[in-house]
Amino acid sequence: MKIERQTEILYDKSHAGVLVPSGSTSELTASSSHGYLESKELALALIEQFRRNSVKLHSASDIMRLATKAIALSDALFCDPVATCTDLDRFEVLQLRRIASATVSISGSPRVSEYLRDLRNGSLDLLERKQSKAKDTLWELELQALLRGWGMSVELGEPDLILCFASARVGVSCKKIYSVENVEKVLSRAVKQIAATCDFGIVAINLDDLIPSRQILRAESTKAMANVLATCNAEFVQAHERHLRKYLEPGRAICALISTAALVDIPNESPRYLNARQSFVWTIPGLPVEAAHFVRRFRDAINGVG
């Protein structure tokens, strides 16, 4: 796993022409590529997790299709190291890794069966642009794994996730954006979830499904790849800043985490094929002292501070 972090203060010009802080971002790029044997082991662990929790996996489901592909490809390459492996094969194995890594990480949750059932509900094809409960659930599971990887104490629970600080529990409402036309409605639902369950909350927005269908991100370098994903996040914020301000300014939602993941092909680097994600934290100044404290701790965790 390769991780790059960056923090930036955002400025606007006042009517007098003075630059004033209008918000801030904390960025993180994570990319990963793994061997086919490891992918087979993850696929087997995922299938076993469903079996152990008595949740049936249908042979035609995306999870079983991708797991079967990962197992078969590993076995074929083990028997014949020069066996043909298409780009489609590679990207289906990368999809399996994303799904399995997030799902296996909740093995100890008392609600694991509920989440497994939700993962069967609709499409889990990460290159297909179709809204589903399965994809919504995957984003929750992926984010809890990311937060734990950043050293935070996190639980699955209402509104979707709970960050456990020493002095408070901060809710995280996880939302996937499937259409830019529904951003305000999605933010409104997220803030209502937070208001109903906790004093402070974070809106975690996933933009994966705004990338065109069946599109692989091809870049000249890891840095170029990160810039493309960062641009996706930045353009979303620029286009919907008024909505973000509308729902964050009251203070109940203290910041927004914006995140985009993609399947990536970098021909000039090794490893060449990657799962990659770019995330940043967006806030506005003027939060109450306690809320600002939690945002700072959240940002520091993402940036590896302290």
Side-chain angles (χ1 to χ4, degrees):
M1 174 73 74
K2 189 161 48 176
I3 296 177
E4 298 177 4
R5 295 179 169 95
Q6 178 180 346
T7 301
E8 178 183 3
I9 304 299
L10 305 179
Y11 292 90
D12 282 337
K13 273 191 177 182
S14 70
H15 294 299
V18 178
L19 289 175
V20 295
S22 61
S24 62
T25 70
S26 295
E27 298 186 0
L28 177 143
T29 301
S31 58
S32 61
S33 179
H34 304 270
Y36 293 104
L37 178 58
E38 292 172 297
S39 297
K40 173 182 176 179
E41 292 171 347
L42 256 182
L44 292 171
L46 180 60
I47 293 171
E48 172 61 18
Q49 186 177 26
F50 276 84
R51 187 202 63 78
R52 188 171 59 250
N53 288 281
S54 301
V55 180
K56 184 175 177 58
L57 263 181
H58 299 288
S59 58
S61 68
D62 285 324
I63 290 177
M64 185 59 82
R65 177 179 61 81
L66 294 170
T68 301
K69 171 62 70 69
I71 294 167
L73 192 58
S74 174
D75 290 345
L77 291 172
F78 179 79
C79 296
D80 180 4
V82 296
T84 300
C85 179
T86 68
D87 284 350
L88 177 60
D89 292 333
R90 295 184 178 96
F91 289 119
E92 289 196 330
V93 170
L94 284 173
Q95 289 189 65
L96 180 279
R97 289 206 63 90
R98 269 186 64 183
I99 295 166
S101 297
T103 306
V104 171
S105 71
I106 65 163
S107 295
S109 169
R111 297 173 57 192
V112 62
S113 296
E114 173 187 341
Y115 288 100
L116 295 180
R117 285 191 292 270
D118 286 341
L119 286 171
R120 303 179 311 176
N121 189 353
S123 172
L124 257 185
D125 186 336
L126 302 183
L127 291 175
E128 183 181 47
R129 299 300 168 242
K130 183 181 293 185
Q131 184 170 356
S132 70
K133 177 64 175 176
K135 285 186 179 181
D136 293 341
T137 301
L138 179 63
W139 171 226
E140 296 174 24
L141 302 187
E142 284 193 290
L143 184 56
Q144 66 85 31
L146 280 170
L147 294 173
R148 287 177 180 169
W150 295 337
M152 285 178 261
S153 176
V154 59
E155 300 173 358
L156 295 163
E158 295 297 332
D160 291 312
L161 304 175
I162 301 169
L163 286 175
C164 304
F165 295 105
S167 57
R169 290 159 65 85
V170 176
V172 182
S173 180
C174 302
K175 298 298 179 187
K176 279 184 69 71
I177 302 295
Y178 294 96
S179 168
V180 294
E181 297 176 358
N182 296 323
V183 171
E184 186 171 15
K185 291 180 180 178
V186 170
L187 289 173
S188 176
R189 288 197 298 269
V191 171
K192 286 179 181 177
Q193 272 188 299
I194 290 168
T197 56
C198 48
D199 293 329
F200 296 114
I202 296 165
V203 181
I205 301 172
N206 179 286
L207 306 181
D208 298 3
D209 276 57
L210 296 185
I211 296 173
S213 174
R214 300 292 161 192
Q215 181 168 304
I216 304 299
L217 172 58
R218 184 166 281 106
E220 294 182 356
S221 65
T222 302
K223 183 176 181 180
M225 171 270 297
N227 287 338
V228 171
L229 294 178
T231 298
C232 291
N233 292 335
E235 289 180 347
F236 175 84
V237 170
Q238 290 168 4
H240 302 285
E241 182 176 0
R242 63 189 179 91
H243 296 141
L244 289 165
R245 286 182 173 276
K246 176 180 178 180
Y247 290 102
L248 266 66
E249 279 182 335
R252 189 64 65 92
I254 57 179
C255 66
L257 174 74
I258 316 294
S259 185
T260 304
L263 297 168
V264 181
D265 177 9
I266 308 178
N268 299 323
E269 293 191 7
S270 180
R272 174 174 174 173
Y273 303 100
L274 303 168
N275 278 309
R277 179 180 299 281
Q278 178 83 354
S279 304
F280 73 74
V281 176
W282 186 89
T283 61
I284 55 176
L287 289 172
V289 173
E290 187 179 13
H293 168 72
F294 291 128
V295 171
R296 185 167 56 252
R297 291 187 61 181
F298 183 60
R299 185 186 296 116
D300 286 349
I302 290 175
N303 286 293
V305 177

